[in-house]
Amino acid sequence: MPVRLGDKLVVAISSRALFDLDESHQVYEQEGLEAYRQYQIAREDTPLEPGEAFGLVQKLLRINSMLEGDSRVEVVLLSRNSADTGLRVFNSIQHYGLGITRAAFAGGRSPFQYIPAFGTQLFLSTHAEDVRSTLEAGFAAATILPSNQPREMRDELRIAFDGDAVLFSDESEQVFQRDGLEAFQASELASARDPLGGGPFKAFLAALNRIQTEFAAGECPIRTALFTARSAPAHERVIRTLREWDIRLDESLFLGGMDKSEFLRAFGADLFFDDQEGHCRSAVGVVPTGHVPHGISNRLLKP
């Protein structure tokens, strides 16, 4: 019988998000594909340095060693490399002892079409168009931004989410963009008992939550948090929505428009997801950040 990944948390990651391929990419940009191929082949036994999402992947895979029975987390590599140039990536995976055994090398094309086949809940990439295509297909995805931040050494995995257009639909954000803050607050107060629609990261958070329930209180290696620009009275609808979904967040910060950066630093996020580029530019100075190009804020940016 063919192997199926079942109800595992499946995270797909590009080679440039997992490892630092900036130097290699520069060869490709300046000298072309054949020079890039020869460059990688000549160095295929030289391990690549960790990339922006390396620590996140390392902590995700560590969860498997903490649970008895079948592994609960699967990380797959989705790469624009060919298998020939991708050998260095797989050799680097083995060098660092990462439990990644499955990959799709798309030979210069976007690999996002393999996301449904793998049953992926999240795709992380440095290629913005691949991320947009994945989101448009109905899957969570984020563009990993360069930060060069020192990596947190603790074992606990900490993931932070923005609310509207990330965990939730952008229906409320549309009111804010169209009619302003006062109308937004009034609309949220009137709709406080009406659950928000799910955003692209709802299924990913739900999958994390299922794993969290398998650990005893005080022993869970995953901590999640909401960092939203909302404040009272717009908080109630969020709380009731999560309750309706039967999804738990460990921490919820309602910041009323305050800059999120210092709060993210205090939380110690391994990765923060936000739909607004301005918030991402601010956050990436303190924590690894993924831009989620989804919702009205990103549609407004299109020419």
Side-chain angles (χ1 to χ4, degrees), residues 192-234:
R193 293 182 178 272
D194 299 329
L196 287 156
F201 277 70
K202 177 187 175 183
F204 174 59
L205 177 60
L208 284 175
N209 209 178
R210 286 194 297 272
I211 295 175
Q212 287 179 299
T213 62
E214 298 185 34
F215 289 89
E219 297 180 5
C220 183
I222 304 170
R223 192 161 186 84
T224 58
L226 170 70
F227 286 76
T228 176
R230 288 172 177 253
S231 59

Side-chain angles (χ1 to χ4, degrees), residues 147-168:
S147 69
N148 298 315
Q149 292 299 308
R151 290 172 178 82
E152 178 57 60
M153 299 305 293
R154 77 180 118 68
D155 291 332
E156 187 176 57
L157 173 63
R158 300 183 184 181
I159 301 181
F161 302 88
D162 179 37
D164 296 288
V166 178
L167 288 182
F168 313 114

Side-chain angles (χ1 to χ4, degrees), residues 162-185 187-188 191 196-197 199-200 227-231 234 237-238 257 260 274-279 292 294-301:
D162 179 37
D164 296 288
V166 178
L167 288 182
F168 313 114
S169 72
D170 72 336
E171 60 195 82
S172 299
E173 183 68 20
Q174 290 183 40
V175 175
F176 174 74
Q177 296 279 0
R178 183 180 65 245
D179 301 322
L181 178 60
E182 187 174 338
F184 165 80
Q185 296 280 35
S187 175
E188 292 305 288
S191 305
L196 287 156
F227 286 76
T228 176
R230 288 172 177 253
S231 59
R237 193 177 186 193
V238 165
K260 300 175 184 179
D274 199 299
D275 67 301
Q276 298 197 32
E277 288 188 352
H279 295 169
V292 182
H294 176 75
I296 188 171
S297 295
N298 290 281
R299 292 196 294 274
L300 291 173
L301 293 174

Side-chain angles (χ1 to χ4, degrees), residues 22-48:
D22 286 351
E23 185 176 303
S24 307
H25 189 67
Q26 190 173 18
V27 171
Y28 171 75
E29 290 286 325
Q30 295 178 354
E31 302 179 41
L33 179 59
E34 181 57 26
Y36 171 78
R37 190 177 79 86
Q38 294 298 333
Y39 180 91
Q40 295 295 53
I41 290 173
R43 292 161 179 78
E44 63 188 24
D45 293 321
T46 302
L48 293 158

